[in-house]
Amino acid sequence: MRLEKCWFCSSTCYPGHGITFVRNDSKVFKFCRSKCHANFKMKRNPRKVAWTKAYRHGHGKELSEDTTFEMERKRNRPEKYNRLLVQKSVKAMKKILDIRKARQDRFYENRMKGKKSKDLAEAKRVLKDELHLVRPMEAQKRDAAEMEKLKVAVDTATQDMEA
C-alpha cells in the first residue's frame, strides 16, 4: 500500500482517496481533498496559506530540521526484505515516533516560553490605558449604601400610602 503526500498541504493521501491531476507536461499532482485541489487551481502558494505544512515550517511553527524526518523520504529503489529486518524496522519506527513526539513537544515549549510574560504585560498595559472604566471600590460601596437608603425610604413611603 503506497501512501502519497498531498502536493499542496503535505498530508497523507491514502489509496482510493483524493484527486490526481496530471498536467500537460506529464507532471503528476496528488491532492488529499478538494480544498487542496481548489487552492491549486486558484494558483495559491502553499507557503502563504496558513493551514499548510509549508507555511508552518516556513514561519517556525513546527519542527522543520530533524533527523527523524529522514525515514519519511521517498526512495525509488527496490530492496530485498526478510522477516527479521522488517521486525527490527517496525520497532525502530515506533522508537523514532516517540523521539519525534518528544522533540516536537520540546520545540513547542521553547516557542511558547515567553508567551505568559507577554500576555501579562499586555494585560497590565490594557488596565493602565483603560483605568477610567474601572470604578474604585469606595465608590461602589457608597453607591450600595445610597441604594439601601433609597429602598428603605421607598418601603416607608409605600407603607404610609397603604395605611
Short mmCIF file of all heavy atoms in Angstrom, two decimals, residues 2-66:
data_model
loop_
_atom_site.label_atom_id
_atom_site.label_comp_id
_atom_site.label_asym_id
_atom_site.label_seq_id
_atom_site.Cartn_x
_atom_site.Cartn_y
_atom_site.Cartn_z
N ARG A 2 0.76 2.07 -0.99
CA ARG A 2 1.58 3.27 -1.11
C ARG A 2 0.80 4.47 -0.61
O ARG A 2 -0.30 4.75 -1.08
CB ARG A 2 2.00 3.48 -2.54
CG ARG A 2 2.76 4.77 -2.74
CD ARG A 2 3.33 4.84 -4.09
NE ARG A 2 4.46 3.92 -4.13
CZ ARG A 2 5.55 4.13 -4.84
NH1 ARG A 2 5.65 5.21 -5.57
NH2 ARG A 2 6.52 3.27 -4.84
N LEU A 3 1.37 5.17 0.34
CA LEU A 3 0.76 6.39 0.88
C LEU A 3 1.48 7.57 0.25
O LEU A 3 2.67 7.77 0.46
CB LEU A 3 0.89 6.43 2.40
CG LEU A 3 0.26 5.28 3.16
CD1 LEU A 3 0.47 5.45 4.65
CD2 LEU A 3 -1.21 5.16 2.85
N GLU A 4 0.75 8.34 -0.52
CA GLU A 4 1.32 9.51 -1.19
C GLU A 4 1.17 10.73 -0.29
O GLU A 4 0.40 10.73 0.66
CB GLU A 4 0.57 9.77 -2.51
CG GLU A 4 0.54 8.61 -3.46
CD GLU A 4 1.81 8.47 -4.26
OE1 GLU A 4 2.60 9.44 -4.30
OE2 GLU A 4 2.02 7.40 -4.84
N LYS A 5 1.91 11.79 -0.62
CA LYS A 5 1.79 13.06 0.08
C LYS A 5 1.03 14.03 -0.82
O LYS A 5 1.26 14.10 -2.03
CB LYS A 5 3.17 13.65 0.39
CG LYS A 5 3.93 12.90 1.44
CD LYS A 5 3.37 13.18 2.80
CE LYS A 5 4.17 12.46 3.87
NZ LYS A 5 3.55 12.57 5.15
N CYS A 6 0.15 14.78 -0.21
CA CYS A 6 -0.59 15.81 -0.94
C CYS A 6 0.40 16.88 -1.40
O CYS A 6 1.24 17.33 -0.62
CB CYS A 6 -1.66 16.42 -0.04
SG CYS A 6 -2.54 17.80 -0.78
N TRP A 7 0.28 17.30 -2.66
CA TRP A 7 1.21 18.28 -3.19
C TRP A 7 1.04 19.62 -2.50
O TRP A 7 2.01 20.34 -2.28
CB TRP A 7 0.99 18.44 -4.70
CG TRP A 7 1.98 19.37 -5.32
CD1 TRP A 7 3.20 19.03 -5.82
CD2 TRP A 7 1.86 20.77 -5.50
NE1 TRP A 7 3.85 20.15 -6.28
CE2 TRP A 7 3.04 21.24 -6.10
CE3 TRP A 7 0.86 21.69 -5.20
CZ2 TRP A 7 3.25 22.57 -6.41
CZ3 TRP A 7 1.07 23.03 -5.50
CH2 TRP A 7 2.25 23.45 -6.11
N PHE A 8 -0.19 19.96 -2.11
CA PHE A 8 -0.46 21.29 -1.57
C PHE A 8 -0.21 21.38 -0.07
O PHE A 8 0.53 22.22 0.40
CB PHE A 8 -1.91 21.69 -1.89
CG PHE A 8 -2.17 23.16 -1.72
CD1 PHE A 8 -1.78 24.06 -2.68
CD2 PHE A 8 -2.78 23.64 -0.57
CE1 PHE A 8 -2.00 25.41 -2.52
CE2 PHE A 8 -3.01 24.98 -0.40
CZ PHE A 8 -2.62 25.88 -1.38
N CYS A 9 -0.81 20.48 0.72
CA CYS A 9 -0.73 20.61 2.17
C CYS A 9 0.21 19.61 2.84
O CYS A 9 0.41 19.68 4.05
CB CYS A 9 -2.12 20.50 2.79
SG CYS A 9 -2.83 18.85 2.73
N SER A 10 0.76 18.69 2.10
CA SER A 10 1.71 17.68 2.58
C SER A 10 1.10 16.67 3.55
O SER A 10 1.83 16.02 4.28
CB SER A 10 2.91 18.34 3.27
OG SER A 10 3.54 19.22 2.38
N SER A 11 -0.21 16.54 3.58
CA SER A 11 -0.80 15.49 4.40
C SER A 11 -0.82 14.19 3.60
O SER A 11 -0.53 14.16 2.41
CB SER A 11 -2.20 15.87 4.86
OG SER A 11 -3.06 15.97 3.75
N THR A 12 -1.19 13.10 4.25
CA THR A 12 -1.13 11.78 3.62
C THR A 12 -2.36 11.55 2.74
O THR A 12 -3.48 11.82 3.15
CB THR A 12 -1.07 10.70 4.71
OG1 THR A 12 0.00 11.02 5.59
CG2 THR A 12 -0.84 9.35 4.12
N CYS A 13 -2.12 11.04 1.53
CA CYS A 13 -3.21 10.64 0.63
C CYS A 13 -3.27 9.11 0.66
O CYS A 13 -2.36 8.44 0.18
CB CYS A 13 -2.94 11.10 -0.80
SG CYS A 13 -2.99 12.85 -1.03
N TYR A 14 -4.34 8.57 1.17
CA TYR A 14 -4.50 7.13 1.25
C TYR A 14 -5.02 6.60 -0.09
O TYR A 14 -5.65 7.34 -0.85
CB TYR A 14 -5.44 6.76 2.38
CG TYR A 14 -4.84 7.02 3.73
CD1 TYR A 14 -5.05 8.21 4.40
CD2 TYR A 14 -3.99 6.08 4.32
CE1 TYR A 14 -4.47 8.46 5.62
CE2 TYR A 14 -3.41 6.32 5.54
CZ TYR A 14 -3.66 7.51 6.19
OH TYR A 14 -3.07 7.75 7.40
N PRO A 15 -4.78 5.33 -0.39
CA PRO A 15 -5.23 4.77 -1.67
C PRO A 15 -6.75 4.89 -1.82
O PRO A 15 -7.50 4.61 -0.88
CB PRO A 15 -4.81 3.30 -1.57
CG PRO A 15 -3.72 3.27 -0.59
CD PRO A 15 -4.01 4.37 0.39
N GLY A 16 -7.18 5.33 -2.98
CA GLY A 16 -8.60 5.47 -3.26
C GLY A 16 -9.17 6.80 -2.80
O GLY A 16 -10.35 7.06 -2.99
N HIS A 17 -8.37 7.64 -2.19
CA HIS A 17 -8.83 8.94 -1.72
C HIS A 17 -8.13 10.04 -2.48
O HIS A 17 -7.04 9.87 -3.00
CB HIS A 17 -8.53 9.10 -0.22
CG HIS A 17 -9.31 8.17 0.65
ND1 HIS A 17 -10.46 8.53 1.29
CD2 HIS A 17 -9.11 6.87 0.96
CE1 HIS A 17 -10.92 7.50 1.97
NE2 HIS A 17 -10.11 6.48 1.78
N GLY A 18 -8.76 11.18 -2.52
CA GLY A 18 -8.12 12.35 -3.10
C GLY A 18 -8.25 12.43 -4.61
O GLY A 18 -8.98 11.67 -5.24
N ILE A 19 -7.53 13.37 -5.18
CA ILE A 19 -7.61 13.68 -6.61
C ILE A 19 -6.21 13.65 -7.19
O ILE A 19 -5.26 14.16 -6.57
CB ILE A 19 -8.21 15.09 -6.81
CG1 ILE A 19 -9.61 15.16 -6.20
CG2 ILE A 19 -8.24 15.48 -8.27
CD1 ILE A 19 -10.11 16.55 -5.94
N THR A 20 -6.06 13.07 -8.36
CA THR A 20 -4.79 13.08 -9.07
C THR A 20 -4.95 13.98 -10.30
O THR A 20 -5.87 13.80 -11.08
CB THR A 20 -4.39 11.67 -9.52
OG1 THR A 20 -4.36 10.82 -8.37
CG2 THR A 20 -3.03 11.67 -10.18
N PHE A 21 -4.07 14.95 -10.41
CA PHE A 21 -4.10 15.87 -11.54
C PHE A 21 -2.83 15.70 -12.33
O PHE A 21 -1.73 15.73 -11.77
CB PHE A 21 -4.23 17.31 -11.02
CG PHE A 21 -4.12 18.36 -12.08
CD1 PHE A 21 -5.14 18.55 -12.99
CD2 PHE A 21 -2.99 19.15 -12.18
CE1 PHE A 21 -5.04 19.51 -13.97
CE2 PHE A 21 -2.88 20.11 -13.15
CZ PHE A 21 -3.91 20.30 -14.06
N VAL A 22 -2.95 15.48 -13.63
CA VAL A 22 -1.79 15.31 -14.49
C VAL A 22 -1.75 16.49 -15.46
O VAL A 22 -2.69 16.70 -16.24
CB VAL A 22 -1.84 13.97 -15.27
CG1 VAL A 22 -0.60 13.81 -16.11
CG2 VAL A 22 -2.01 12.82 -14.32
N ARG A 23 -0.68 17.25 -15.40
CA ARG A 23 -0.52 18.41 -16.24
C ARG A 23 -0.10 17.99 -17.65
O ARG A 23 0.26 16.84 -17.87
CB ARG A 23 0.56 19.31 -15.61
CG ARG A 23 0.39 20.77 -15.92
CD ARG A 23 1.18 21.67 -15.02
NE ARG A 23 2.56 21.25 -14.87
CZ ARG A 23 3.40 21.81 -14.00
NH1 ARG A 23 2.98 22.77 -13.21
NH2 ARG A 23 4.64 21.40 -13.92
N ASN A 24 -0.15 18.92 -18.61
CA ASN A 24 0.19 18.61 -19.99
C ASN A 24 1.63 18.12 -20.16
O ASN A 24 1.93 17.39 -21.09
CB ASN A 24 -0.01 19.84 -20.88
CG ASN A 24 -1.47 20.10 -21.14
OD1 ASN A 24 -2.29 19.20 -20.95
ND2 ASN A 24 -1.81 21.32 -21.53
N ASP A 25 2.51 18.53 -19.26
CA ASP A 25 3.90 18.08 -19.35
C ASP A 25 4.13 16.78 -18.58
O ASP A 25 5.26 16.44 -18.26
CB ASP A 25 4.86 19.17 -18.87
CG ASP A 25 4.65 19.52 -17.41
OD1 ASP A 25 3.69 19.03 -16.79
OD2 ASP A 25 5.47 20.30 -16.87
N SER A 26 3.06 16.06 -18.27
CA SER A 26 3.06 14.76 -17.59
C SER A 26 3.51 14.83 -16.13
O SER A 26 3.88 13.82 -15.56
CB SER A 26 3.95 13.75 -18.33
OG SER A 26 3.46 13.58 -19.64
N LYS A 27 3.48 16.00 -15.52
CA LYS A 27 3.79 16.10 -14.09
C LYS A 27 2.53 15.74 -13.32
O LYS A 27 1.44 16.23 -13.61
CB LYS A 27 4.23 17.52 -13.74
CG LYS A 27 4.41 17.75 -12.26
CD LYS A 27 5.78 18.28 -11.94
CE LYS A 27 5.93 18.63 -10.48
NZ LYS A 27 5.83 17.55 -9.56
N VAL A 28 2.68 14.85 -12.33
CA VAL A 28 1.54 14.33 -11.57
C VAL A 28 1.46 15.06 -10.23
O VAL A 28 2.45 15.17 -9.50
CB VAL A 28 1.68 12.81 -11.33
CG1 VAL A 28 0.55 12.29 -10.48
CG2 VAL A 28 1.75 12.08 -12.65
N PHE A 29 0.27 15.55 -9.91
CA PHE A 29 -0.01 16.21 -8.63
C PHE A 29 -1.08 15.41 -7.91
O PHE A 29 -2.14 15.15 -8.47
CB PHE A 29 -0.52 17.64 -8.85
CG PHE A 29 0.44 18.54 -9.56
CD1 PHE A 29 0.38 18.69 -10.93
CD2 PHE A 29 1.40 19.24 -8.86
CE1 PHE A 29 1.25 19.53 -11.60
CE2 PHE A 29 2.29 20.08 -9.51
CZ PHE A 29 2.22 20.22 -10.88
N LYS A 30 -0.80 15.05 -6.66
CA LYS A 30 -1.78 14.33 -5.84
C LYS A 30 -2.33 15.32 -4.81
O LYS A 30 -1.57 16.06 -4.19
CB LYS A 30 -1.13 13.16 -5.10
CG LYS A 30 -0.65 12.04 -5.98
CD LYS A 30 -1.76 11.12 -6.41
CE LYS A 30 -2.28 10.33 -5.24
NZ LYS A 30 -3.35 9.42 -5.58
N PHE A 31 -3.66 15.31 -4.63
CA PHE A 31 -4.30 16.17 -3.63
C PHE A 31 -5.14 15.30 -2.71
O PHE A 31 -5.82 14.38 -3.14
CB PHE A 31 -5.19 17.21 -4.31
CG PHE A 31 -4.44 18.08 -5.27
CD1 PHE A 31 -4.56 17.90 -6.63
CD2 PHE A 31 -3.58 19.07 -4.82
CE1 PHE A 31 -3.87 18.68 -7.52
CE2 PHE A 31 -2.88 19.86 -5.69
CZ PHE A 31 -3.02 19.67 -7.05
N CYS A 32 -5.10 15.62 -1.42
CA CYS A 32 -5.80 14.79 -0.44
C CYS A 32 -7.30 15.08 -0.43
O CYS A 32 -8.10 14.22 -0.09
CB CYS A 32 -5.20 15.00 0.96
SG CYS A 32 -5.28 16.71 1.54
N ARG A 33 -7.70 16.29 -0.77
CA ARG A 33 -9.13 16.66 -0.75
C ARG A 33 -9.36 17.80 -1.73
O ARG A 33 -8.42 18.40 -2.25
CB ARG A 33 -9.56 17.05 0.66
CG ARG A 33 -8.71 18.11 1.29
CD ARG A 33 -9.13 18.34 2.75
NE ARG A 33 -8.26 19.30 3.36
CZ ARG A 33 -7.27 19.01 4.19
NH1 ARG A 33 -7.02 17.75 4.48
NH2 ARG A 33 -6.54 19.95 4.72
N SER A 34 -10.62 18.11 -1.95
CA SER A 34 -10.97 19.13 -2.94
C SER A 34 -10.51 20.52 -2.51
O SER A 34 -10.26 21.38 -3.35
CB SER A 34 -12.48 19.13 -3.17
OG SER A 34 -13.16 19.40 -1.97
N LYS A 35 -10.36 20.74 -1.22
CA LYS A 35 -9.87 22.03 -0.72
C LYS A 35 -8.47 22.31 -1.27
O LYS A 35 -8.19 23.41 -1.75
CB LYS A 35 -9.84 21.98 0.81
CG LYS A 35 -9.29 23.19 1.50
CD LYS A 35 -9.32 22.93 3.01
CE LYS A 35 -8.78 24.08 3.79
NZ LYS A 35 -8.80 23.82 5.24
N CYS A 36 -7.61 21.31 -1.24
CA CYS A 36 -6.25 21.47 -1.76
C CYS A 36 -6.26 21.63 -3.27
O CYS A 36 -5.53 22.46 -3.83
CB CYS A 36 -5.40 20.26 -1.36
SG CYS A 36 -5.19 20.08 0.40
N HIS A 37 -7.11 20.86 -3.94
CA HIS A 37 -7.18 20.94 -5.40
C HIS A 37 -7.68 22.31 -5.83
O HIS A 37 -7.14 22.93 -6.77
CB HIS A 37 -8.10 19.83 -5.91
CG HIS A 37 -8.11 19.70 -7.40
ND1 HIS A 37 -9.25 19.39 -8.10
CD2 HIS A 37 -7.13 19.85 -8.33
CE1 HIS A 37 -8.97 19.37 -9.39
NE2 HIS A 37 -7.70 19.63 -9.55
N ALA A 38 -8.69 22.83 -5.14
CA ALA A 38 -9.24 24.14 -5.49
C ALA A 38 -8.20 25.24 -5.27
O ALA A 38 -8.07 26.16 -6.09
CB ALA A 38 -10.48 24.42 -4.65
N ASN A 39 -7.44 25.15 -4.18
CA ASN A 39 -6.41 26.16 -3.93
C ASN A 39 -5.30 26.07 -4.99
O ASN A 39 -4.74 27.10 -5.39
CB ASN A 39 -5.81 25.97 -2.53
CG ASN A 39 -6.67 26.61 -1.48
OD1 ASN A 39 -6.79 27.83 -1.43
ND2 ASN A 39 -7.29 25.80 -0.65
N PHE A 40 -4.99 24.87 -5.44
CA PHE A 40 -4.01 24.69 -6.51
C PHE A 40 -4.51 25.33 -7.80
O PHE A 40 -3.77 26.03 -8.49
CB PHE A 40 -3.72 23.21 -6.71
CG PHE A 40 -2.83 22.90 -7.86
CD1 PHE A 40 -1.46 23.05 -7.75
CD2 PHE A 40 -3.35 22.44 -9.06
CE1 PHE A 40 -0.62 22.75 -8.82
CE2 PHE A 40 -2.54 22.14 -10.13
CZ PHE A 40 -1.16 22.30 -10.01
N LYS A 41 -5.78 25.10 -8.12
CA LYS A 41 -6.35 25.66 -9.35
C LYS A 41 -6.41 27.19 -9.28
O LYS A 41 -6.32 27.85 -10.31
CB LYS A 41 -7.75 25.10 -9.59
CG LYS A 41 -7.73 23.65 -10.04
CD LYS A 41 -9.07 23.20 -10.57
CE LYS A 41 -10.11 23.11 -9.48
NZ LYS A 41 -11.36 22.49 -9.92
N MET A 42 -6.54 27.74 -8.06
CA MET A 42 -6.54 29.20 -7.91
C MET A 42 -5.11 29.76 -7.89
O MET A 42 -4.91 30.95 -7.63
CB MET A 42 -7.26 29.60 -6.62
CG MET A 42 -8.75 29.42 -6.70
SD MET A 42 -9.59 30.10 -5.28
CE MET A 42 -9.51 28.73 -4.15
N LYS A 43 -4.14 28.88 -8.12
CA LYS A 43 -2.72 29.24 -8.19
C LYS A 43 -2.22 29.87 -6.89
O LYS A 43 -1.40 30.79 -6.92
CB LYS A 43 -2.46 30.16 -9.37
CG LYS A 43 -2.79 29.50 -10.68
CD LYS A 43 -2.43 30.36 -11.85
CE LYS A 43 -2.76 29.58 -13.12
NZ LYS A 43 -2.43 30.32 -14.31
N ARG A 44 -2.70 29.35 -5.76
CA ARG A 44 -2.24 29.83 -4.47
C ARG A 44 -0.92 29.16 -4.12
O ARG A 44 -0.68 28.00 -4.45
CB ARG A 44 -3.26 29.55 -3.39
CG ARG A 44 -4.49 30.41 -3.55
CD ARG A 44 -5.23 30.54 -2.24
NE ARG A 44 -6.31 31.49 -2.40
CZ ARG A 44 -7.53 31.27 -1.98
NH1 ARG A 44 -7.83 30.15 -1.36
NH2 ARG A 44 -8.47 32.18 -2.14
N ASN A 45 -0.08 29.88 -3.41
CA ASN A 45 1.22 29.37 -2.99
C ASN A 45 1.04 28.69 -1.63
O ASN A 45 0.61 29.34 -0.67
CB ASN A 45 2.20 30.53 -2.88
CG ASN A 45 3.61 30.07 -2.63
OD1 ASN A 45 3.84 28.91 -2.30
ND2 ASN A 45 4.54 30.99 -2.77
N PRO A 46 1.37 27.41 -1.49
CA PRO A 46 1.19 26.72 -0.21
C PRO A 46 2.00 27.36 0.93
O PRO A 46 1.64 27.23 2.08
CB PRO A 46 1.67 25.30 -0.47
CG PRO A 46 1.80 25.15 -1.92
CD PRO A 46 1.85 26.51 -2.52
N ARG A 47 3.09 28.05 0.59
CA ARG A 47 3.89 28.68 1.63
C ARG A 47 3.23 29.92 2.20
O ARG A 47 3.65 30.43 3.23
CB ARG A 47 5.27 29.05 1.08
CG ARG A 47 6.12 27.82 0.83
CD ARG A 47 7.40 28.18 0.15
NE ARG A 47 7.10 28.63 -1.21
CZ ARG A 47 7.99 29.07 -2.07
NH1 ARG A 47 9.26 29.15 -1.70
NH2 ARG A 47 7.65 29.44 -3.27
N LYS A 48 2.16 30.41 1.54
CA LYS A 48 1.45 31.60 2.02
C LYS A 48 0.08 31.28 2.60
O LYS A 48 -0.60 32.18 3.08
CB LYS A 48 1.31 32.61 0.89
CG LYS A 48 2.62 33.19 0.43
CD LYS A 48 2.41 34.23 -0.64
CE LYS A 48 3.74 34.80 -1.09
NZ LYS A 48 3.56 35.80 -2.15
N VAL A 49 -0.35 30.03 2.52
CA VAL A 49 -1.65 29.63 3.06
C VAL A 49 -1.42 29.03 4.44
O VAL A 49 -0.69 28.05 4.60
CB VAL A 49 -2.35 28.61 2.12
CG1 VAL A 49 -3.69 28.20 2.67
CG2 VAL A 49 -2.50 29.21 0.73
N ALA A 50 -2.06 29.62 5.46
CA ALA A 50 -1.68 29.39 6.86
C ALA A 50 -1.87 27.95 7.34
O ALA A 50 -1.20 27.53 8.26
CB ALA A 50 -2.44 30.34 7.76
N TRP A 51 -2.76 27.19 6.76
CA TRP A 51 -3.03 25.85 7.28
C TRP A 51 -2.16 24.76 6.66
O TRP A 51 -2.26 23.59 7.02
CB TRP A 51 -4.51 25.49 7.11
CG TRP A 51 -5.05 25.70 5.73
CD1 TRP A 51 -5.64 26.82 5.26
CD2 TRP A 51 -5.04 24.76 4.65
NE1 TRP A 51 -5.99 26.64 3.94
CE2 TRP A 51 -5.64 25.38 3.55
CE3 TRP A 51 -4.58 23.45 4.51
CZ2 TRP A 51 -5.80 24.75 2.33
CZ3 TRP A 51 -4.73 22.82 3.29
CH2 TRP A 51 -5.34 23.47 2.22
N THR A 52 -1.27 25.11 5.76
CA THR A 52 -0.44 24.09 5.11
C THR A 52 0.83 23.83 5.91
O THR A 52 1.27 24.64 6.71
CB THR A 52 -0.05 24.52 3.69
OG1 THR A 52 0.72 25.71 3.77
CG2 THR A 52 -1.25 24.74 2.82
N LYS A 53 1.42 22.68 5.65
CA LYS A 53 2.65 22.28 6.32
C LYS A 53 3.81 23.21 5.92
O LYS A 53 4.65 23.55 6.74
CB LYS A 53 2.98 20.84 5.91
CG LYS A 53 3.93 20.13 6.79
CD LYS A 53 3.25 19.66 8.02
CE LYS A 53 3.59 18.24 8.34
NZ LYS A 53 3.06 17.91 9.65
N ALA A 54 3.83 23.62 4.65
CA ALA A 54 4.90 24.50 4.17
C ALA A 54 4.88 25.84 4.90
O ALA A 54 5.93 26.38 5.26
CB ALA A 54 4.75 24.71 2.66
N TYR A 55 3.69 26.38 5.14
CA TYR A 55 3.56 27.64 5.88
C TYR A 55 4.07 27.47 7.31
O TYR A 55 4.82 28.29 7.82
CB TYR A 55 2.11 28.10 5.89
CG TYR A 55 1.87 29.34 6.72
CD1 TYR A 55 1.97 30.60 6.15
CD2 TYR A 55 1.55 29.25 8.07
CE1 TYR A 55 1.75 31.74 6.91
CE2 TYR A 55 1.34 30.37 8.83
CZ TYR A 55 1.44 31.62 8.24
OH TYR A 55 1.23 32.74 9.00
N ARG A 56 3.65 26.38 7.95
CA ARG A 56 4.01 26.16 9.35
C ARG A 56 5.53 25.98 9.50
O ARG A 56 6.12 26.49 10.44
CB ARG A 56 3.26 24.97 9.92
CG ARG A 56 1.76 25.23 10.01
CD ARG A 56 1.02 24.14 10.73
NE ARG A 56 1.45 24.00 12.10
CZ ARG A 56 1.09 24.80 13.11
NH1 ARG A 56 0.28 25.81 12.88
NH2 ARG A 56 1.52 24.57 14.33
N HIS A 57 6.15 25.28 8.56
CA HIS A 57 7.60 25.13 8.61
C HIS A 57 8.30 26.46 8.34
O HIS A 57 9.26 26.81 9.02
CB HIS A 57 8.08 24.10 7.59
CG HIS A 57 7.81 22.68 7.99
ND1 HIS A 57 8.29 22.13 9.14
CD2 HIS A 57 7.10 21.70 7.39
CE1 HIS A 57 7.90 20.88 9.24
NE2 HIS A 57 7.17 20.59 8.18
N GLY A 58 7.81 27.18 7.36
CA GLY A 58 8.44 28.44 6.98
C GLY A 58 8.35 29.52 8.03
O GLY A 58 9.22 30.38 8.12
N HIS A 59 7.30 29.49 8.84
CA HIS A 59 7.10 30.51 9.86
C HIS A 59 7.51 30.05 11.25
O HIS A 59 7.17 30.69 12.24
CB HIS A 59 5.64 30.97 9.85
CG HIS A 59 5.30 31.81 8.66
ND1 HIS A 59 5.03 31.25 7.43
CD2 HIS A 59 5.23 33.15 8.49
CE1 HIS A 59 4.78 32.23 6.57
NE2 HIS A 59 4.90 33.38 7.18
N GLY A 60 8.21 28.92 11.34
CA GLY A 60 8.74 28.47 12.62
C GLY A 60 7.71 27.91 13.57
O GLY A 60 7.93 27.86 14.78
N LYS A 61 6.56 27.48 13.06
CA LYS A 61 5.52 26.93 13.92
C LYS A 61 5.74 25.45 14.22
O LYS A 61 5.27 24.94 15.20
CB LYS A 61 4.14 27.08 13.26
CG LYS A 61 3.80 28.48 12.85
CD LYS A 61 3.56 29.35 14.04
CE LYS A 61 3.14 30.73 13.61
NZ LYS A 61 3.13 31.67 14.70
N GLU A 62 6.45 24.77 13.33
CA GLU A 62 6.71 23.34 13.51
C GLU A 62 8.18 23.06 13.30
O GLU A 62 8.90 23.84 12.68
CB GLU A 62 5.89 22.51 12.52
CG GLU A 62 4.46 22.35 12.91
CD GLU A 62 3.73 21.40 11.98
OE1 GLU A 62 4.37 20.77 11.13
OE2 GLU A 62 2.51 21.32 12.10
N LEU A 63 8.58 21.92 13.80
CA LEU A 63 9.95 21.47 13.65
C LEU A 63 10.21 21.16 12.18
O LEU A 63 9.46 20.41 11.56
CB LEU A 63 10.11 20.20 14.49
CG LEU A 63 11.47 19.83 15.00
CD1 LEU A 63 12.07 20.97 15.80
CD2 LEU A 63 11.35 18.62 15.89
N SER A 64 11.23 21.75 11.59
CA SER A 64 11.48 21.50 10.17
C SER A 64 12.78 20.75 9.93
O SER A 64 12.87 19.97 9.00
CB SER A 64 11.49 22.82 9.40
OG SER A 64 12.46 23.68 9.93
N GLU A 65 13.78 20.95 10.75
CA GLU A 65 15.05 20.26 10.60
C GLU A 65 15.18 19.22 11.71
O GLU A 65 15.38 19.55 12.87
CB GLU A 65 16.22 21.25 10.70
CG GLU A 65 16.26 22.25 9.57
CD GLU A 65 16.56 21.60 8.24
OE1 GLU A 65 17.36 20.66 8.20
OE2 GLU A 65 15.98 22.05 7.24
N ASP A 66 15.02 17.96 11.36
CA ASP A 66 15.13 16.89 12.35
C ASP A 66 15.59 15.63 11.63
O ASP A 66 15.15 15.35 10.51
CB ASP A 66 13.79 16.67 13.04
CG ASP A 66 13.90 15.82 14.28
OD1 ASP A 66 15.05 15.51 14.68
OD2 ASP A 66 12.87 15.47 14.86
#
